[in-house]
Amino acid sequence: MLLFDDETVARVASDSGVPEPALREAVESVQATLDDFPSRSVDGLVYEWRQAFRDDPLVERRPDTWILRVPERVWVDIRERADVPDDLVDALVSLYETEADATEDGVALVIARDSASE
């Protein structure tokens, strides 16, 4: 699964001062956490968020990817479940921000849709 092109990951890692492999691993860890979310598929989880939050978190739906802006509390829960190291959090957020409009509220989140992760 490739959510980001190599150049984008390399640029964000360099700009953030983190190792590129570690940033890729953080992306994979978040995706794996969401793929294995208890009793929900990724698409089901996105649907649930779209119903539960006051502001619809969907920024864009691509054939293989969801681009969202989730509340900070949701992002904290996801990154803790994914065990993202503290020194990679800012770089990971910066990477996700490359795909979402920075003027909107919430934390950007880019995840593979169910059909893309099979």
Side-chain angles (χ1 to χ4, degrees):
M1 158 200 35
L2 182 63
L3 295 176
F4 301 94
D5 63 65
D6 291 339
E7 290 178 21
T8 301
V9 176
R11 179 179 46 79
V12 171
S14 176
D15 290 350
S16 301
V18 300
E20 187 178 331
L23 184 56
R24 287 185 191 285
E25 187 176 312
V27 170
E28 291 170 6
S29 181
V30 167
Q31 182 66 47
T33 296
L34 293 170
D35 284 341
D36 294 336
F37 211 82
S39 72
R40 291 174 195 87
S41 66
V42 167
D43 290 355
L45 189 58
V46 170
Y47 175 80
E48 182 178 308
W49 287 340
R50 294 189 71 197
Q51 301 304 310
F53 302 149
R54 182 173 48 96
D55 296 321
D56 186 350
L58 182 64
V59 173
E60 184 179 350
R61 175 182 27 227
R62 297 178 184 166
D64 58 349
T65 310
W66 294 105
I67 314 271
L68 307 162
R69 283 205 159 280
V70 297
E72 178 73 23
R73 71 183 185 279
V74 173
W75 168 238
V76 169
D77 180 54
I78 292 168
R79 75 172 198 236
E80 286 176 355
R81 288 175 187 250
D83 202 24
V84 175
D86 290 343
D87 63 335
L88 292 176
V89 170
D90 290 342
L92 187 57
V93 169
S94 293
L95 182 60
Y96 289 146
E97 288 290 340
T98 65
E99 297 295 318
D101 182 356
T103 63
E104 296 188 27
D105 291 337
V107 179
L109 181 62
V110 179
I111 50 179
R113 294 181 63 185
D114 288 334
S115 59
S117 58
E118 292 177 355

